[in-house]
Amino acid sequence: MALLEILEFPDPRLRTVASPIKNVDGRIASMADSMLETMYDAPGIGLAAPQIGLLNRVIVMDCVKEEDATPEPMVLINPEITGSSDALNVHEEGCLSIPDQFAEVERPAEVKVRWLGLDGKTLEETFEGLWATCVQHEIDHLNGKLFIDYLKPLRRQMITRKMQKLKRERARGD
Ligand SMILES: [Zn+2]
């Protein structure tokens, strides 16, 4: 397995709607393994396939943050939100594709999600707390949406300009 390169905003692939997986096979399992490895290495708590340039509807996550707790890696294929709580929650979000930028985003506190597991079977679960934030953030990636889209225009422009500058500096080799 190899670590994958994480695309950074602004990259047009991060704005593309990803296509559903038709057959859950070994190729998906090894892609999910590499995605998890890349996510843990970053380190991050979630990663969506478009962030590594694969425009497929696959996300991985593990929101267990305590140092000595058992990891809980999850792979969600074709995830769909099937229900959201009226109650909202504000979490500070960041994104591996928008390094070093953080902002508070308001989202439903609980969401019900349906997806396919690596065995091709349908699963459904209600997520809350950090897991709820993370799964919504990652599903947004599959629709070409980023957490900065929830911010006020001025803040979004500020982050966009910072990222564009960073990219130019890197391209020049500064
Ligand atoms: Zn993200």
Side-chain angles (χ1 to χ4, degrees), residues 12-32:
R13 285 167 287 182
L14 294 171
R15 289 305 196 183
T16 308
V17 176
S19 341
I21 297 285
K22 291 203 183 81
N23 299 302
V24 181
D25 54 22
R27 191 182 64 88
I28 308 298
S30 71
M31 171 176 126

Side-chain angles (χ1 to χ4, degrees), residues 51 95 137 141:
Q51 291 181 276
C95 180
H137 176 120
H141 273 300

Side-chain angles (χ1 to χ4, degrees), residues 14 35 46-54 56 58-60 137-142:
L14 294 171
M35 283 173 65
L47 188 68
Q51 291 181 276
I52 49 150
L54 292 168
N56 290 318
V58 178
I59 63 175
V60 298
H137 176 120
E138 299 312 327
I139 291 174
D140 274 352
H141 273 300
L142 304 181

Side-chain angles (χ1 to χ4, degrees), residues 9-10 15 98 101 146 148-149 153-168:
F9 174 80
R15 289 305 196 183
I98 312 175
Q101 304 299 323
L146 302 168
I148 54 172
D149 299 345
L154 208 62
R155 180 103 168 83
R156 186 165 60 239
Q157 278 163 23
M158 214 174 75
I159 292 180
T160 303
R161 275 201 294 270
K162 269 190 199 162
M163 289 298 300
Q164 283 164 337
K165 185 163 170 270
L166 192 73
K167 273 213 155 169
R168 279 197 302 271

Side-chain angles (χ1 to χ4, degrees), residues 35-72:
M35 283 173 65
L36 278 167
E37 198 186 2
T38 303
M39 178 193 83
Y40 285 125
D41 179 75
I45 58 169
L47 188 68
Q51 291 181 276
I52 49 150
L54 292 168
L55 298 174
N56 290 318
R57 301 188 81 82
V58 178
I59 63 175
V60 298
M61 53 180 195
D62 184 350
C63 296
V64 175
K65 285 187 119 181
E66 299 77 24
E67 286 269 309
D68 42 8
T70 315
E72 282 181 42

